[in-house]
Amino acid sequence: MTWAILRDFTGGSTRISVTGSPTPEAESHLSTVLLHGRLDAPLTLEVDLNGLPTSDVAPLVTVLERWATSQEGGPRLTLSANPLTPTGRLLRATLGRHPVLGTALLDHPSRRTPSDPRRAHLCLPADPQSPAAARKLVARHCRTWGMETVVDRAMVVTSELISNAVLHARTDIDITVTAMEKALRISVRDRAADAPHAAAPTAASQVSEGGRGLPIIAALTTRWGFFAFGDGKTVWAVIDNG
């Protein structure tokens, strides 16, 4: 079984296309791929099953049901398949027996990504001015969302995450900011799969007001982490609003 991930950061959707027959390791691998897609903070996480043989629909739906049941919050999980194909017809019939995924089926192709006023995204170049642009985005939306208590911490954390990506990944950067129920989540994605660098750069002036390294992120956030995959990595941080 193989999969491909297509992200629409602006629209807020991540599509995972699944093809081939599952292997004994498929469940753990698919869970990893779903987690990877979830960390990019999309509004919708869509699993495209058009490339799946009909004999594998029911087992894979069971895996997806188990994964969806274990998640708290996060993006809406949806499934897509052409309803005119055998796979699409079988998937529609199979989902009737699954309470969590029973309303998750979308006709293919899907263009129904919801909007969310408490999510903001910005694509930035690997440029010394990018940390400042990201800080402005975060500060503006924190105040719009009534999260003034986290503004200062969020601006520092944003500077460090973007500065790290500018200096070490040297690729385009996507920052997504999401207001959760009682916290702010900041996700920064670049196109380099190596781990984020813990050491601060020798010249902090290389980036706008960054350069203190990852320890400051750990000190100012409730929790943070990263997830690397073949096409890049996502570094995320959560700051409690209180």
Side-chain angles (χ1 to χ4, degrees):
M1 176 178 288
T2 60
W3 30 70
I5 302 178
L6 178 63
R7 300 173 183 83
D8 177 4
F9 285 100
T10 302
S13 65
T14 295
R15 174 182 289 183
I16 300 172
S17 298
V18 181
T19 57
S21 298
T23 64
E25 299 81 16
E27 180 171 354
S28 61
H29 288 175
L30 182 57
S31 295
T32 300
V33 172
L34 289 166
L35 174 62
H36 182 55
R38 191 177 192 269
L39 288 179
D40 289 324
L43 300 173
T44 299
L45 185 59
E46 178 183 341
V47 182
D48 183 346
L49 301 177
N50 279 283
L52 199 67
T54 55
S55 59
D56 298 322
V57 168
L60 190 62
V61 167
T62 300
V63 171
L64 292 169
E65 169 89 2
R66 188 180 301 118
W67 186 87
T69 303
S70 68
Q71 303 303 303
E72 294 184 5
R76 177 191 175 205
L77 179 65
T78 63
L79 309 180
S80 68
N82 188 331
L84 301 180
T85 64
T87 295
R89 290 194 294 269
L90 180 59
L91 183 63
R92 189 173 295 276
T94 302
L95 287 183
R97 301 193 296 271
H98 290 267
V100 175
L101 299 181
T103 60
L105 184 63
L106 298 177
D107 292 340
H108 179 77
S110 168
R111 293 293 183 268
R112 286 174 280 174
T113 299
S115 60
D116 190 338
R118 294 172 68 82
R119 176 187 181 276
H121 165 263
L122 186 63
C123 183
L124 296 165
D127 184 90
Q129 301 307 312
S130 288
R135 285 199 307 274
K136 290 179 182 178
L137 173 83
V138 170
R140 181 173 68 252
H141 283 89
C142 280
R143 294 186 175 105
T144 299
W145 297 332
M147 305 183 77
E148 288 85 355
T149 58
V150 306
V151 170
D152 292 340
R153 285 176 290 160
M155 289 177 66
V156 174
V157 169
T158 297
S159 280
E160 298 306 321
L161 292 176
I162 299 296
S163 297
N164 198 292
V166 168
L167 288 170
H168 301 294
R170 300 178 183 177
T171 69
D172 288 345
I173 305 160
D174 286 280
I175 176 171
T176 304
V177 188
T178 309
M180 303 189 298
E181 184 176 355
K182 296 181 180 179
L184 183 77
R185 181 188 179 96
I186 304 168
S187 298
V188 173
R189 177 170 178 77
D190 59 51
R191 277 66 173 171
D194 56 323
H197 288 247
T202 55
S205 60
Q206 288 180 286
V207 291
S208 300
E209 299 180 29
R212 283 159 287 192
L214 297 180
I216 192 68
I217 296 175
L220 294 178
T221 61
T222 308
R223 56 191 182 277
W224 76 279
F226 75 95
F227 193 93
F229 217 62
D231 60 348
K233 66 177 174 292
T234 297
V235 186
W236 56 270
V238 174
I239 305 173
D240 283 349
N241 184 23

